[in-house]
Amino acid sequence: MSDLVRRFDKNPILTKDDIPYPVETVHNAGAVKHDGRYVLLFRSHRRTGRSIIGLADSDDGFAFRVHPEPFLEPANDGAFAEYEEFGVEDCRICPIDGAYLLTYSAYSRHGVRIALASTKDFRQVERIALITQADARNVVIFPEKFDGRYVRLDRPHSEISPWSIWISFSPDLVHWGDSKVVMKPVQYHWDEMKIGPGATPIKTDRGWLHIYHGVFPTMDGSVYRLGVALHDLKDPSRIIGVGDEWILQPQDPWEVTGYVHNVIFTCGAIPEDDGTVKIYWGGADEVMCAGTARIDDLVNLCLDHARPAF
Ligand code: BMA
């Protein structure tokens, strides 16, 4: 099968040289279209080794302009400060109810948990709540409610099970429950070590398409790749199919070598009216890359070349 994702020919789209304040990396960006413009909320390491979130925007989804100041830095006071002490990472963006929900990893001496914030204009941002205990990462919220409830995919950590994708429900975005596991790594498979939610799910006529990451352990360390899963339109806890093959693996020099080698990690993808999707990913935890795929091809992979969800 030919490559389902076509890399943009001018990758990487952002490097640390594009950032107007001192950082060592620019990667793992959440993505959304706002007022016809493409917006990225990317992660950058400071030289302390701790991360902040920056903002970039673009007319065409490929040429981005970075805003002069960081968008979100660890809180200095209030309820969030204690849990953001070690940095904020890997922000996802969910457009819903006329606003954008932001879910990001908050790191501290207590572990990693997920913080929820909201913005309407990407200027003002309001922190709402810490919505998981430690340890959990990679929360993506579906951009629609189901039977009046918000739904998210999340990834709690476990010492017993390989890290898996769970689903949780909420009436108010703050209190979450009815959690259950929906998808697990498959043994001796490209995602056998751990999996986690990636981009905010995309609605298609055949189901919710979720681009996730999977990790394989090698003698040379872990390899991070992307795969796809399709969730039922009405009941997102039901997985219709998981593509057996990865859709993207480290290949370009800036994906194979960098801050952490052999990493492709997504936090955002933007569906277009022409049936394509722009996928954004961090290369080797150091640069931002982009590519396009046909949504139908990704859905077909879930349906025609499926591996079990468990
Ligand atoms: C994960 C997270 C991601 C990162 C990946 C590869 O555990 O820290 O932010 O991209 O590892 O280093």
Side-chain angles (χ1 to χ4, degrees):
M1 205 188 314
S2 60
D3 288 346
L4 296 185
V5 181
R6 198 159 49 86
R7 285 172 162 83
F8 178 52
D9 57 8
K10 295 196 186 67
N11 275 344
I13 57 169
L14 287 174
T15 72
K16 66 176 179 177
D17 297 335
D18 300 310
I19 313 301
Y21 39 87
V23 294
E24 291 303 305
T25 65
V26 40
H27 61 119
N28 296 7
V32 81
K33 227 188 234 182
H34 165 60
D35 278 351
R37 291 181 68 73
Y38 297 79
V39 173
L40 296 182
L41 289 180
F42 57 83
R43 167 182 172 194
S44 285
H45 286 90
R46 296 280 204 189
R47 283 192 190 159
T48 54
R50 297 180 180 178
S51 296
I52 59 170
I53 307 285
L55 171 66
D57 71 337
S58 160
D59 289 328
D60 66 357
F62 297 112
F64 280 88
R65 188 181 58 96
V66 179
H67 288 220
E69 303 291 334
F71 179 73
L72 192 78
E73 296 187 86
N76 290 322
D77 47 35
F80 288 78
E82 183 173 357
Y83 295 99
E84 295 184 358
E85 181 193 7
F86 291 174
V88 290
E89 305 185 359
D90 296 6
C91 186
R92 273 74 170 192
I93 308 172
C94 166
I96 194 166
D97 300 341
Y100 300 98
L101 300 175
L102 313 177
T103 43
Y104 58 91
S105 301
Y107 274 82
S108 73
R109 64 191 68 202
H110 308 303
V112 53
R113 55 192 305 203
I114 294 293
L116 172 73
S118 167
T119 184
K120 284 203 156 103
D121 52 11
F122 293 95
R123 288 178 223 272
Q124 305 287 331
V125 52
E126 185 197 347
R127 283 174 169 85
I128 298 172
L130 289 148
I131 56 170
T132 68
Q133 296 171 308
D135 281 314
R137 282 180 47 89
N138 303 315
V139 165
V140 298
I141 298 176
F142 284 81
E144 267 182 28
K145 288 194 205 174
F146 297 81
D147 294 329
R149 294 198 295 177
Y150 297 93
V151 181
R152 76 183 194 202
L153 300 175
D154 45 32
R155 212 285 304 282
H157 299 194
S158 169
E159 286 185 7
I160 298 171
S161 159
W163 300 359
S164 306
I165 297 177
W166 290 59
I167 198 163
S168 306
F169 300 82
S170 172
D172 59 5
L173 288 170
V174 175
H175 305 93
W176 293 85
D178 288 346
S179 305
K180 65 176 185 176
V181 63
V182 291
M183 187 174 146
K184 293 182 79 82
V186 163
Q187 200 178 12
Y188 212 76
H189 192 257
W190 65 267
D191 64 3
E192 82 159 0
M193 185 178 159
K194 57 176 178 171
I195 57 175
T200 298
I202 293 166
K203 193 175 193 181
T204 78
D205 51 5
R206 290 187 284 170
W208 287 95
L209 179 70
H210 174 221
I211 305 173
Y212 72 98
H213 68 264
V215 185
F216 188 82
T218 76
M219 295 302 284
D220 186 34
S222 306
V223 181
Y224 279 71
R225 301 182 172 101
L226 301 185
V228 278
L230 196 66
H231 294 241
D232 186 81
L233 278 179
K234 289 216 170 74
D235 173 9
S237 71
R238 196 174 80 80
I239 293 202
I240 304 171
V242 181
D244 192 41
E245 299 166 1
W246 67 70
I247 61 162
L248 206 60
Q249 73 153 342
Q251 185 174 301
D252 276 334
W254 46 84
E255 297 165 347
V256 171
T257 310
Y259 191 82
V260 180
H261 68 285
N262 281 327
V263 174
I264 284 191
F265 195 95
T266 190
C267 296
I270 299 180
E272 302 284 14
D273 292 339
D274 66 359
T276 63
V277 56
K278 287 189 175 62
I279 305 175
Y280 296 93
W281 64 88
D285 282 359
E286 188 162 329
V287 298
M288 273 310 300
C289 303
T292 52
R294 279 172 28 86
I295 292 173
D296 267 349
D297 289 347
L298 301 181
V299 171
N300 288 343
L301 182 69
C302 298
L303 297 173
D304 301 340
H305 300 275
R307 58 92 152 166
F310 278 79

